[in-house]
């Protein structure tokens, strides 16, 4: 319960207008979830600003608003409080309320296992006292504290708080605010090493919790973790150590018996032994939570025996090794809440102990925030997974490293699938694997990989949805979730998967599909696109160079690959060694290839390219027959295919017909003289969309797979959806007087008072400078014009007509925001080019997600 006057008092706040509601049931930071009785908190940080949503929050029924800027909307009927900084205000409120009520605080921190530990402590204390424990699951840091306390009531004697940190300095702020009586530290791992550096740094930050405790308090420390154990020297409070099989601890669990639905153990406390105990939490690792709860209970004079009894009623939390019934009575173990290497290893250890008689399937998404430990961490988990799992499915680029490590460990490649979209992960599990009652599927991943969606799709019983962890952030996400990127490309792998599947549907059954993934898959990322395309109906891959082909082979792709461009003879060794086919269009070159191939004792696969009227790479139709006669003699060349390329399938159907006829005039005599081709192909996207008489037995689909039309002249199916978006954030906003010049060369001057926002991207990212620039971008779902010259790393937009634009707001350069969309076609028109060039000229330094 939140009182308006407590907020005003704690935060030195000011009322804006009349106080209407004076008591609120909860805080609310997502405008979409605002409602009756809630106090909407508008947040502002260098990552963004949610003051823009105040109007909506009020419309949705919020009874109050806390803000640090005057709202520019009607606030009649709601209480509005003005504060300097909303997060500071809320933290001050938490401090005030805890002090007023005299509630004792138990703080839990660590790299993982915080929520389970808090839940166990809550269970033990609740048996004897009135306890408040609301776990804010989706958020770490200072803001999580007041959000967790909103529903605190005067009768609550204790509160159990998860103290997660995302930024240096936060722990000190939090402990000063809540003044914990008890501090529990679970373990120190690699989570957030991107921000903190070494785990040792993280330990220093977390240690603040125990440094702060008073001599009357207690620090509960995990003895088995070196960094945590060492904290015992840094507290004035009593220290209780806990451990598994570690003699010398105050509370020790031993003889653990790990089962599918729980864990059995014996316990030693002082001279006492408690044998044959059990908790319904799977995984030995969870015993740390149990031991912590016993220790906290002891501090408040709750006998071990009592606590052990109540802990039998615990149940797993959503997304933490939570067993659920899956399709065909398989067992899903949903561990999708979050992931870092140690918790993943712990989950695999558990799987190892219970897998006997089952097929163990490990489904893993990317782990986040690991910084320099990312590769190491993913590989470490992969090595262990190779020992434990019968089948590994990875989703995402980082997680694919895990599959590579398993492969290096000697795991059979047929038992590893590396995927790149939720859709493919689900389809693979549902369609290719045929889950049965002997299967245990362990599903894990970092929050952004949203692996709970995979669990959800595999549930036997719909009603179990309630048991899933939720990760659908609202529009406040950018402000509360860390993000450090200046500009980035987002790839919708699910859209890609459906585009490929849709294209497949357009083709006759006996026609194969080559996915053209040259130029890093038209800027979309060649490896992820290739893997996704192969899973959704493509059988062949087309690239532009040996390097592009090798990138795919390196990523473990063994599908056939054709280089559609010139390949120098010196690169032949690699082509043969990696079984890569090349385009052949010249007899002299064919002879050199043949000679080189003979020296290597290999055979080179080629597709002969016939120029039927494009005037580019190829052997002329009239010379083709004679060339083939000579090719026959070359023993080390295997002619696998023949193809041609259309020059104007998008605009000149008659000419295309001529090209087809030309091609046929080459094919006919060749077939008569018993040349057989495994692959005969001609059509690109325009050809595919233009008709089916040119499909032969393979097509080469490029641009349409990326959801872009090859030409305005052809009907483009609405089912094909753009795959790429390009985004950035506002770096600065300023009000400039009339006549103020902007950018190099002063090519633009403000004509009146204008509000100008600076964006952190420029031509060195591929945001074109000349001869023409992008004309508009999207901010707050509205169009803002680009003004002045684009610099190497910066550019400016005019946001005078868009209210409330502030630093950190998302800006869309390509793609959709709200109801507005900027398409690659539109940008192409601005730049005087085609959509192909728009997507391929975003430079490689821009990260793809
Ligand atoms: C790029 C390319 C394609 C794909 O063309 P789209 O218009 O993108 O479908 C097909 N064939 C060859 C030879 C190409 O170079």
């Amino acid at each position: 319960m939140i009182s308006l006057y407590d907020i005003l008092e704690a935060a030195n706040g000011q009322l804006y207008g009349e106080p209407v509601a004076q008591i609120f049931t909860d805080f609310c930071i997502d405008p979409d979830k605002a409602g009756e009785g809630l106090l909407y908190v508008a947040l502002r940080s260098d990552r963004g600003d949610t003051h823009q949503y105040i109007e909506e929050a009020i419309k949705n029924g919020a009874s109050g608003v806390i803000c640090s800027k005057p709202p520019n909307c009607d606030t009649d009927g709601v209480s509005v409080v003005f504060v300097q900084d909303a997060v500071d205000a809320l933290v001050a409120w938490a401090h005030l309320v805890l002090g007023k009520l005299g509630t004792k605080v138990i703080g839990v921190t660590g790299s993982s296992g915080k929520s389970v530990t808090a839940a166990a402590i809550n269970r033990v204390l609740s048996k004897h006292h009135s306890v408040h424990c609301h776990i804010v699951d989706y958020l770490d840091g200072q803001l999580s504290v007041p959000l967790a306390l909103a529903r605190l009531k005067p009768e609550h004697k204790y509160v159990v708080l998860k103290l997660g940190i995302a930024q240096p300095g936060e722990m000190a702020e939090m402990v000063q605010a809540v003044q914990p009586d008890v501090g529990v530290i679970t373990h120190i791992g690699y989570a957030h090493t991107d921000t903190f550096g070494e785990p040792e740094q993280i330990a220093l930050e977390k240690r603040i919790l125990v440094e702060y405790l008073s001599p009357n308090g207690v620090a509960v420390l995990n003895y088995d973790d070196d960094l945590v154990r060492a904290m015992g020297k840094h507290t004035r409070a009593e220290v209780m150590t806990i451990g598994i099989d570690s003699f010398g601890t105050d509370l020790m669990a031993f003889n653990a018996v790990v089962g599918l639905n729980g864990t059995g153990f014996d316990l030693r406390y002082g001279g006492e032994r408690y044998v044959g105990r059990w908790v319904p939490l799977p995984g030995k690792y969870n015993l740390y939570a149990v031991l912590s709860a016993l220790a906290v209970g002891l501090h408040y004079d709750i006998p071990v025996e009592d606590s052990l009894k109540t802990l039998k009623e615990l149940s797993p939390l959503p997304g933490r090794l939570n067993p659920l019934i899956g399709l065909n009575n398989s067992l899903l173990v949903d561990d999708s809440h979050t992931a870092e290497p140690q918790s993943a290893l712990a989950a695999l250890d558990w799987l190892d102990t219970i897998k006997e008689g089952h097929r163990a399937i490990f489904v893993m998404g990317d782990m986040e925030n690991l910084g320099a430990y990312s590769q190491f961490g993913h590989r470490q988990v992969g090595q262990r997974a190779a020992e434990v799992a019968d089948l590994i499915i990875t989703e995402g680029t980082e997680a694919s490293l895990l599959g590579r490590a398993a492969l290096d460990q000697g795991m059979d490649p047929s038992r590893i699938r590396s995927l790149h979209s939720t859709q493919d992960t689900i389809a693979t599990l549902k369609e290719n694997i045929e889950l049965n009652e002997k299967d245990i599927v362990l599903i894990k991943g970092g929050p952004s990989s949203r692996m709970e969606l995979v669990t959800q799709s595999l549930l036997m019983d719909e009603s179990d949805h309630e048991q899933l962890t939720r990760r659908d952030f609202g529009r406040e996400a950018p402000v509360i979730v860390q993000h450090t990127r200046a500009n980035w490309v987002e790839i919708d792998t699910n859209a890609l998967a459906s585009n490929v599947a849709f294209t497949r549907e357009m083709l006759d059954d006996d026609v194969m599909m080559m996915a053209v993934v040259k130029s890093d898959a038209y800027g979309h990322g060649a490896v992820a696109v290739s893997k996704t395309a192969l899973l959704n109906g493509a059988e062949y891959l087309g690239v532009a160079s040996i390097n592009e082909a090798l990138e795919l082979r390196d990523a473990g792709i063994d599908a056939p690959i054709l280089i559609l461009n010139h390949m120098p003879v010196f690169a032949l060794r690699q082509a043969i060694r990696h079984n890569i086919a090349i385009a052949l269009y010249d007899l002299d070159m064919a002879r050199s290839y043949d000679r080189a191939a003979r020296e290597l004792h290999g055979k080179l696969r080629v597709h002969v390219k016939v120029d039927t009227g494009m005037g580019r790479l190829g052997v002329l139709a009239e010379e083709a027959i004679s060339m083939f006669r000579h090719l026959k003699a070359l023993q080390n060349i295997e002619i696998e295919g023949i193809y041609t390329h259309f020059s104007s399938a998008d605009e000149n159907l008659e000419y295309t017909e001529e090209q087809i006829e030309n091609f046929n005039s080459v094919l006919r005599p060749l077939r008569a003289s018993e040349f057989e081709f495994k692959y005969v192909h001609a059509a690109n996207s325009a050809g595919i969309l233009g008709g089916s008489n040119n499909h032969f037995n393979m097509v080469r689909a490029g641009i349409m797979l990326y959801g872009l039309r090859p030409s305005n002249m052809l009907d483009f199916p609405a089912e094909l959806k753009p795959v790429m978006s390009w985004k950035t954030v506002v770096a600065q906003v300023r009000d400039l007087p009339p006549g103020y010049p902007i950018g190099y060369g002063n090519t633009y001057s403000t004509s009146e008072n204008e509000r100008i926002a600076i964006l952190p991207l420029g031509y060195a990212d591929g945001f074109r400078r000349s001869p023409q620039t992008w004309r508009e971008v999207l901010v707050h779902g509205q169009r803002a014009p680009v003004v002045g010259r684009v610099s190497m790393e910066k550019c400016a937009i005019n946001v005078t007509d868009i209210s409330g634009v502030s630093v950190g707001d998302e800006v869309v350069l390509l793609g959709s925001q709200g109801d507005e969309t900027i398409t690659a076609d539109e940008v192409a028109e601005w730049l005087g080019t085609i959509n192909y060039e728009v997507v391929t000229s975003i430079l490689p330094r821009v990260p793809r997600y």
Side-chain angles (χ1 to χ4, degrees):
M1 218 150 64
I2 305 150
S3 140
L4 179 66
Y5 296 99
D6 283 348
I7 295 266
L8 288 169
E9 180 186 340
N12 247 325
Q14 275 178 311
L15 265 178
Y16 179 85
E18 292 301 308
V20 190
Q22 300 180 15
I23 294 287
F24 309 94
T25 49
D26 206 342
F27 297 112
C28 155
I29 53 175
D30 177 354
D32 294 326
K33 300 203 178 105
E36 180 79 37
L38 301 186
L39 180 55
Y40 176 71
V41 185
L43 300 165
R44 183 155 62 151
S45 77
D46 56 355
R47 302 193 290 268
D49 191 336
T50 62
H51 284 78
Q52 54 184 300
Y53 306 127
I54 291 177
E55 187 169 4
E56 247 176 289
I58 294 175
K59 222 180 273 162
N60 289 341
S63 304
V65 172
I66 297 187
C67 50
S68 50
K69 285 192 296 198
N72 45 14
C73 63
D74 183 9
T75 57
D76 272 1
V78 289
S79 302
V80 179
V81 181
F82 243 163
V83 296
Q84 195 83 27
D85 177 284
V87 175
D88 289 351
L90 261 55
V91 172
W93 167 85
H95 180 71
L96 178 94
V97 168
L98 288 170
K100 264 192 181 171
L101 300 180
T103 323
K104 281 204 187 325
V105 174
I106 294 103
V108 182
T109 195
S111 296
S112 64
K114 293 185 284 290
S115 298
V116 178
T117 303
I121 295 170
N122 179 33
R123 178 61 74 154
V124 162
L125 296 184
S126 295
K127 199 74 185 176
H128 298 262
H129 305 283
S130 172
V131 183
H132 176 72
C133 178
H134 170 68
I135 292 165
V136 177
D137 230 358
Y138 55 95
L139 183 65
D140 279 331
Q142 291 177 68
L143 184 57
S144 69
V145 169
L147 296 185
L149 291 175
R151 290 171 183 273
L152 181 70
K153 295 196 185 117
E155 62 265 32
H156 291 134
K157 193 158 174 238
Y158 298 97
V159 58
V160 186
L161 274 180
K162 179 187 87 138
L163 301 174
I165 48 167
Q167 293 293 327
E170 277 181 330
M171 186 56 86
E173 301 270 353
M174 288 194 286
V175 294
Q176 272 158 31
V178 305
Q179 316 220 340
D181 193 37
V182 172
V184 180
I185 307 206
T186 60
H187 96 281
I188 303 295
Y190 292 107
H192 295 300
T193 34
D194 58 343
T195 310
F196 289 90
E198 304 297 309
E200 285 76 10
Q201 294 303 118
I202 298 176
L204 283 182
E205 177 84 16
K206 297 201 163 158
R207 199 175 84 186
I208 295 172
L209 171 58
V210 297
E211 283 169 355
Y212 190 91
L213 298 173
S214 81
N216 302 328
V218 63
V220 179
L221 300 178
N222 179 351
Y223 187 85
D224 300 339
D225 182 309
D226 295 344
L227 290 171
V228 177
R229 185 176 60 237
M231 293 180 193
K233 294 199 283 291
H234 298 270
T235 180
R236 296 173 298 157
E238 179 198 349
V239 172
M240 290 271 273
T241 52
I242 59 166
I244 300 176
D245 301 330
S246 337
F247 290 91
T249 52
D250 297 316
L251 275 161
M252 176 180 80
F254 59 107
N255 292 339
V257 181
V258 176
L260 263 177
N261 292 306
T263 308
F265 60 100
D266 295 342
L267 180 80
R268 208 201 62 187
Y269 169 57
E272 305 284 321
R273 268 159 209 272
Y274 305 81
V275 287
R277 301 316 169 112
W278 184 83
V279 284
L281 297 176
K284 194 168 160 181
Y285 197 73
N286 277 322
L287 292 179
Y288 290 111
V290 168
L291 294 169
S292 300
L294 296 175
V296 175
L298 281 165
H299 178 64
Y300 295 117
D301 302 322
I302 301 173
V304 169
E305 194 62 67
D306 279 18
S307 299
L308 284 170
K309 225 176 263 155
T310 34
L311 285 169
K312 281 205 281 198
E313 295 152 25
L314 268 176
S315 41
L317 297 178
R320 281 104 168 167
L321 285 184
N322 186 15
L324 299 164
I325 304 297
L327 294 178
N328 306 327
N329 279 315
S330 56
L331 178 70
L332 309 178
V333 182
D334 179 36
D335 203 29
S336 60
H337 180 70
T338 187
E340 52 100 39
Q342 266 146 308
S343 65
L345 293 171
L348 285 167
D349 285 345
W350 171 76
L351 188 60
D352 199 20
T353 46
I354 50 95
K355 70 173 185 184
E356 179 98 23
H358 295 89
R359 178 168 66 163
I361 304 174
F362 181 46
V363 184
M364 182 77 187
D366 291 341
M367 295 185 278
E368 293 152 48
N369 303 121
L370 298 181
Y373 287 95
S374 186
Q375 281 217 2
F376 170 74
H378 283 93
R379 292 194 63 88
Q380 203 183 14
V381 175
Q383 282 163 7
R384 180 72 179 124
E387 296 165 359
V388 175
D390 296 301
L391 188 61
I392 298 177
I393 298 177
T394 65
E395 183 187 310
T397 301
E398 310 261 335
S400 70
L401 290 173
L402 188 157
R404 300 287 295 171
L407 206 60
D408 295 346
Q409 202 74 0
M411 189 163 176
D412 186 321
S414 67
R415 288 164 45 206
I416 305 170
R417 315 273 159 92
S418 117
L419 311 173
H420 290 270
S421 73
T422 313
Q423 191 169 315
D424 284 342
T425 308
I426 293 171
T428 300
L429 281 158
K430 271 189 165 165
E431 287 151 32
N432 305 1
I433 290 179
E434 289 185 31
L435 294 177
N436 64 57
E437 78 285 347
K438 288 233 171 298
D439 288 336
I440 299 180
V441 190
L442 172 62
I443 302 165
K444 192 162 180 68
S448 312
S449 65
R450 304 218 46 195
M451 299 304 282
E452 79 277 9
L453 297 176
V454 175
T455 310
Q456 178 175 335
S457 76
L458 299 178
L459 288 174
M460 175 94 126
D461 187 349
E462 282 256 350
S463 64
D464 280 346
H465 284 194
E466 296 301 313
Q467 293 216 43
L468 296 176
T469 170
R470 298 258 169 243
R471 280 289 173 180
D472 37 359
F473 281 117
R475 281 172 287 162
E476 78 286 5
V479 188
I480 56 169
V481 183
Q482 228 177 331
H483 81 147
T484 48
R485 310 160 292 187
N487 72 89
W488 68 96
V489 161
E490 287 176 11
I491 299 298
D492 182 350
T493 42
N494 286 324
L496 176 74
S498 353
N499 292 346
V500 177
F502 180 79
T503 306
R504 178 64 261 174
E505 286 293 302
M506 291 178 70
L507 305 172
D508 287 345
D509 288 346
D510 55 352
V511 175
M512 288 169 281
M513 181 189 344
M514 173 189 290
V516 180
V517 295
K518 63 193 180 200
S519 188
D520 202 26
Y522 294 38
H524 291 66
V527 172
V529 167
S530 298
K531 287 186 177 170
T532 304
L534 290 167
L535 281 170
N536 288 281
E539 287 150 296
Y540 217 117
L541 298 170
V543 299
S545 69
I546 186 79
N547 297 332
E548 291 187 351
L550 292 177
E551 185 194 354
L552 302 181
R553 287 283 182 259
D554 267 355
I557 294 173
D558 53 12
I561 300 178
L562 173 64
I563 298 175
L564 297 163
N565 207 351
H566 172 70
M567 200 210 56
V569 179
F570 66 78
L572 196 77
R573 178 187 288 273
Q574 286 168 310
I576 291 179
R577 207 152 69 89
H578 294 281
N579 193 22
I580 293 160
I582 66 161
L584 186 69
Y585 43 85
D586 178 275
L587 192 55
D588 285 341
M589 280 189 79
R591 290 191 173 117
S592 334
Y593 285 143
D594 183 57
R595 219 172 305 123
R598 187 169 50 228
E599 283 161 17
L600 294 169
H601 307 291
K603 222 167 172 133
L604 180 67
R605 286 187 300 122
V606 302
H607 290 218
V608 173
K609 173 149 198 205
V610 184
D611 181 359
T612 55
M614 167 120 178
R616 228 171 52 174
L617 227 50
V619 52
L620 292 175
E622 34 301 6
E623 294 163 6
I625 308 288
S626 106
M627 175 161 130
F628 269 95
R629 223 173 283 130
H630 292 287
L631 284 179
K632 244 185 177 165
L634 304 179
Q635 296 292 313
N636 300 287
I637 287 186
E638 178 194 333
I639 302 173
E640 183 191 71
I642 182 166
Y643 74 108
T644 191
H645 196 44
F646 299 137
S647 69
S648 24
D650 51 344
E651 42 199 34
N652 190 338
L653 295 185
E654 235 164 81
Y655 189 74
T656 305
E657 285 303 320
E658 264 173 54
Q659 280 196 278
I660 296 172
E661 181 39 44
N662 237 341
F663 191 41
N664 275 323
S665 75
V666 174
L667 285 173
R668 248 178 264 120
L670 285 174
R671 280 180 171 145
S673 55
E674 284 166 18
F675 261 106
E676 298 236 355
F677 301 103
K678 194 165 166 199
Y679 302 102
V680 182
H681 44 113
N684 53 6
S685 296
I688 296 168
L689 294 166
S692 61
N693 71 331
N694 58 30
H695 290 182
F696 299 94
N697 76 354
M698 183 155 80
V699 297
R700 301 186 305 269
I703 198 84
M704 66 191 292
L705 303 183
Y706 308 104
L708 302 176
R709 55 171 67 218
S711 148
N712 296 331
M713 320 274 280
L714 289 163
D715 285 340
F716 193 66
E719 287 86 347
L720 297 172
K721 300 272 193 281
V723 172
M724 179 190 282
S725 310
W726 190 11
K727 299 181 178 176
T728 185
V729 289
V730 171
Q732 192 183 22
V733 184
R734 284 176 320 159
D735 291 307
L736 298 176
Y740 201 95
I742 288 165
Y744 284 115
N746 303 349
T747 55
Y748 178 88
S749 290
T750 52
S751 51
E752 48 192 337
N753 284 323
E754 286 179 19
R755 178 165 291 178
I756 300 295
I758 307 301
L759 308 181
L761 92 163
Y763 59 80
D765 298 295
F767 195 66
R768 183 89 70 75
R769 171 187 184 273
S770 87
Q772 260 111 234
T773 66
W774 247 251
R775 281 192 204 147
E776 292 167 345
V777 301
L778 304 178
V779 194
H780 292 195
Q782 296 171 57
R783 285 169 180 262
V786 174
V787 292
R789 269 202 196 135
V790 171
S791 308
M792 190 187 287
E793 322 276 353
K794 286 165 216 67
C795 65
I797 57 174
N798 184 341
V799 293
T800 314
D801 297 330
I802 304 174
S803 75
V805 173
S806 47
V807 174
D809 287 354
E810 179 193 84
V811 178
V812 170
L813 316 160
L814 180 67
S816 300
Q817 193 184 54
D819 301 329
E820 276 284 356
T821 302
I822 292 178
T823 63
D825 285 316
E826 187 176 11
V827 176
E829 212 166 296
W830 294 336
L831 301 180
T833 181
I834 50 174
N835 53 15
Y836 292 73
E837 195 185 349
V838 172
V839 288
T840 49
S841 16
I842 301 174
L843 293 170
R845 79 162 191 182
V846 179
R848 267 73 174 164
Y849 293 98

